[in-house]
Amino acid sequence: MLEFDNDLDKFKAIKEACLQYLVRREHSQKELLRKVSEKGFARPDIDLVISELAEQGLQSDARFAESYARSRVHRGFGPLRIKTELQQRGVGDCYFDMAVEDIAGSWQALLMQVYEKKYGASSSTIDIKELLKRSRFLQQRGFSTEMIRELLKNL
């Protein structure tokens, strides 16, 4: 058990707050720290509790990254956007690579699926203005310029 200046009640309160968030969904350590800090607990105390939860396997940045990436892939977001969002949530690149390895399958197939859902499967002639508009949409979804160029070339 961790030491909190012999204040077992504070430890229990912080742990309970963390567990309340983790029961609902996976959270990164950074998210947990931010949310529990808002409840008025001191950061060093929260860090200790989160470290203990991670050691016990109750909190895992790897699990969070996988869960988050899976939900974003299913909503049609590309690798660049998912990676950026994970970094904003305090999850490093290595977790991103592990998380999306099996989830996405083929990014190009996902890109085609997103494109067809938005614009349909028809490959009628498109003027340059419309092509740029579609390209911007796909970039905002998190697909690289090279991926989009390849897609548009194959249409």
Side-chain angles (χ1 to χ4, degrees), residues 82-98:
I82 295 170
K83 188 173 190 174
T84 301
E85 290 175 350
L86 283 172
Q87 288 171 342
Q88 290 170 347
R89 286 159 177 77
V91 178
D93 289 345
C94 65
Y95 290 124
F96 168 78
D97 295 337
M98 292 182 336

Side-chain angles (χ1 to χ4, degrees), residues 38-148:
E38 291 172 358
K39 293 184 177 274
F41 296 109
R43 181 185 175 128
D45 295 340
I46 299 168
D47 284 335
L48 289 172
V49 172
I50 291 174
S51 294
E52 183 177 287
L53 292 173
E55 287 174 19
Q56 295 172 349
L58 298 173
Q59 187 284 325
S60 167
D61 278 350
R63 257 192 339 255
F64 168 75
E66 182 180 351
S67 171
Y68 188 84
R70 178 176 284 115
S71 72
R72 300 307 273 170
V73 165
H74 289 299
R75 294 182 76 194
F77 290 98
L80 300 177
R81 180 145 176 194
I82 295 170
K83 188 173 190 174
T84 301
E85 290 175 350
L86 283 172
Q87 288 171 342
Q88 290 170 347
R89 286 159 177 77
V91 178
D93 289 345
C94 65
Y95 290 124
F96 168 78
D97 295 337
M98 292 182 336
V100 298
E101 196 171 286
D102 297 326
I103 296 171
S106 167
W107 289 114
Q108 207 62 35
L110 178 62
L111 176 58
M112 178 60 92
Q113 180 183 354
V114 170
Y115 181 87
E116 288 180 352
K117 181 177 179 183
K118 176 80 174 174
Y119 301 109
S122 68
S123 60
S124 62
T125 57
I126 304 166
D127 67 352
I128 190 71
K129 188 175 179 181
E130 180 64 21
L131 200 61
L132 291 172
K133 179 180 169 187
R134 292 179 182 196
S135 179
R136 277 191 306 276
F137 167 76
L138 295 170
Q139 284 177 331
Q140 289 173 344
R141 295 296 286 213
F143 295 98
S144 71
T145 306
E146 295 80 28
M147 294 171 74
I148 297 168

